[in-house]
Amino acid sequence: MTADFEIDEETKTVTCPNGKTADRVTYYEKTDSWNISFHKETTCKDCPFAATGRCPMKNHKRVRSGTISQKKIQRAHLQRTMKSEEASQLPVQKRC
């Protein structure tokens, strides 16, 4: 799920897997991460990921929020790839 988030550093926007743009975005240069939040009643209202509990953002009273970074997205892509059928067919190398 985290692998499907998109960060546009040029326009300073973050888009969730459902195609919605975050309502509030704050960039932290020190950690190279983005703190984002989505309004539950408007942005997340009809989201299938929020309804099924698969949204990686934390649920609060009025918003869903969390921290995301390019590193976190890349790690999620790698994990998804490693779980794929193709990856399970690769030969395993033994370490010395």
Side-chain angles (χ1 to χ4, degrees):
M1 177 62 66
T2 303
D4 299 322
F5 277 82
E6 294 178 14
I7 298 174
D8 187 342
E9 295 181 20
E10 189 174 304
T11 60
K12 297 193 182 333
T13 58
V14 179
T15 307
C16 77
N18 196 34
K20 304 290 184 171
T21 303
D23 297 307
R24 194 188 89 215
V25 178
T26 306
Y27 176 68
Y28 296 102
E29 189 174 343
K30 185 176 181 179
T31 58
D32 192 28
S33 62
W34 302 78
N35 190 323
I36 58 175
S37 66
F38 300 89
H39 293 289
K40 283 174 38 175
E41 294 300 318
T42 56
T43 310
C44 298
K45 187 174 183 176
D46 298 321
C47 179
F49 303 114
T52 59
R54 296 184 333 166
C55 179
M57 297 291 112
K58 291 182 182 172
N59 197 18
H60 302 285
K61 188 174 183 177
R62 286 177 264 194
V63 298
R64 289 183 167 279
S65 68
T67 304
I68 195 122
S69 66
Q70 284 292 1
K71 192 174 189 177
K72 196 180 243 188
I73 293 171
Q74 290 169 349
R75 187 177 320 118
H77 275 292
L78 180 62
Q79 289 174 338
R80 180 182 287 170
T81 303
M82 295 307 289
K83 289 180 182 179
S84 72
E85 188 67 33
E86 288 178 26
S88 65
Q89 302 300 322
L90 293 174
V92 178
Q93 294 181 359
K94 295 184 179 182
R95 291 185 173 180
C96 296

